[in-house]
Amino acid sequence: MAEATLSVRSRTSDPLPGFRLALFSTLLWAGLIVVLPLTALIVRPWQEGLGAMTMALHDGRMFAALRVSFVTAFIAALINVPVGLLLTWTLVRVRLPGRRIVDALIDLPFAIPTAVTGITLATLYGPQGWLGKPLAHLGISIAYSTAGIVVALMFVGLPFIVRSVEPVLRGLPPEQEEAAGLLGASSWQTVWRVVLPSLLPATVSGFGLAFARGIGEYGSVIFIAGNQPFRTEIAPLLVVVRLQEFDYAGATSIAFILLVASMLCLAGVAMLRRRVARGLITGVN
């Protein structure tokens, strides 16, 4: 009887064969490739003393680069929200020809190298590009400006919006929209009061992921940004510049600020998503 009890307890505490070993290996591997590099990045800026860190933070060029990265990432993520919602609705609710091809192309920014994206966008929106040349005749300059940075970040961040909202929209029964129509709601009222509230937590999550990715984006931006200090220079590029100048304190300071900003962004998005979801549940009750 005692042996049977011990056997049941061991099965309860260890549901899968080799679970403890697999868990230990996973945590060790995650620690080596995630926790250890992040810890080193947090500790490294302070190794040369507080004075070196303070001097690195009194750099106008660094703050200008940070401002460019944060502002363009926010604008790109904000523009991607309505575009991503409309695209997701088309993929889920509308049966258009070629829908599967469009669905596959959405994940293209995840698959191709970011440098290829940057070269392609610079060629397309350059002064002699297919889109850049007619836009130049209209007095609109995309390449080598902050507008080019926003375009590049929109391309990179759009999949985060679509892939965050898509599973929620697929799980949203169309009967709710039909019931709203039967009760006399117009199409816009159905969208604003039935569909969008249900998609809001996922939309906030997608916005936060796109914004955090945009802050640290490098390869797809440097070819179209122009990289002019105090104007179109992004923070990740300034990290590389500081390393080439052997200014390790300045480089690690910028990297540390980007890391903290990304972590705060993700934490804020998670908190906001929970509050929005809690408010929706309370409203339903």
Side-chain angles (χ1 to χ4, degrees):
M1 184 68 179
E3 294 180 356
T5 303
L6 291 174
S7 177
V8 171
R9 288 181 179 177
S10 62
R11 291 178 182 178
T12 304
S13 60
D14 194 5
L16 296 176
F19 174 74
R20 295 181 180 179
L21 178 60
L23 179 61
F24 174 76
S25 302
T26 302
L27 293 178
L28 178 62
W29 183 250
L32 291 176
I33 66 174
V34 178
V35 179
L36 185 60
L38 292 180
T39 303
L41 181 57
I42 294 174
V43 173
R44 179 63 179 83
W46 309 98
Q47 288 183 345
E48 299 183 12
L50 183 60
M53 184 69 174
T54 304
M55 289 182 60
L57 292 177
H58 285 80
D59 185 0
R61 183 178 176 182
M62 181 190 69
F63 284 105
L66 289 171
R67 183 176 65 252
V68 171
S69 293
F70 278 87
V71 171
T72 54
F74 180 81
I75 294 175
L78 194 64
I79 296 175
N80 272 336
V81 168
V83 176
L85 288 174
L86 182 60
L87 185 56
T88 307
W89 179 272
T90 304
L91 293 174
V92 175
R93 289 288 194 261
V94 183
R95 301 296 177 182
L96 294 177
R99 180 176 57 88
R100 296 185 181 275
I101 298 177
V102 176
D103 187 49
L105 290 176
I106 291 175
D107 294 328
L108 192 61
F110 292 149
I112 61 176
T114 55
V116 175
T117 301
I119 294 174
T120 303
L121 292 176
T123 304
L124 187 64
Y125 288 98
Q128 301 299 322
W130 292 351
L131 296 178
K133 190 172 183 179
L135 289 174
H137 289 297
L138 298 176
I140 301 174
S141 177
I142 300 296
Y144 317 125
S145 65
T146 54
I149 302 176
V150 173
V151 170
L153 296 182
M154 286 176 58
F155 178 82
V156 173
L158 183 61
F160 291 99
I161 305 291
V162 176
R163 295 313 180 199
S164 297
V165 176
E166 183 181 8
V168 180
L169 185 58
R170 289 189 185 277
L172 188 65
E175 289 78 8
Q176 294 184 3
E177 304 160 29
E178 297 174 0
L182 292 175
L183 291 175
S186 63
S187 299
W188 282 108
Q189 288 176 332
T190 302
V191 170
W192 282 104
R193 298 186 179 182
V194 178
V195 178
L196 289 183
S198 301
L199 301 180
L200 186 57
T203 304
V204 172
S205 178
F207 173 85
L209 292 174
F211 176 66
R213 171 64 186 272
I215 292 175
E217 183 59 29
Y218 176 78
S220 61
V221 175
I222 58 173
F223 294 100
I224 196 173
N227 307 322
Q228 301 178 24
F230 298 96
R231 293 186 61 187
T232 60
E233 186 179 50
I234 58 174
L237 175 62
L238 189 57
V239 173
V240 178
V241 173
R242 292 290 183 251
L243 289 175
Q244 293 174 346
E245 297 173 349
F246 300 100
D247 183 6
Y248 298 110
T252 53
S253 299
I254 301 173
F256 176 75
I257 293 175
L258 292 177
L259 173 63
V260 172
S262 299
M263 294 177 65
L264 291 177
C265 175
L266 295 178
V269 167
M271 184 183 301
L272 181 60
R273 184 177 63 238
R274 286 196 299 268
R275 289 188 177 183
V276 170
R278 191 181 306 162
L280 290 176
I281 294 173
T282 304
V284 172
N285 293 335

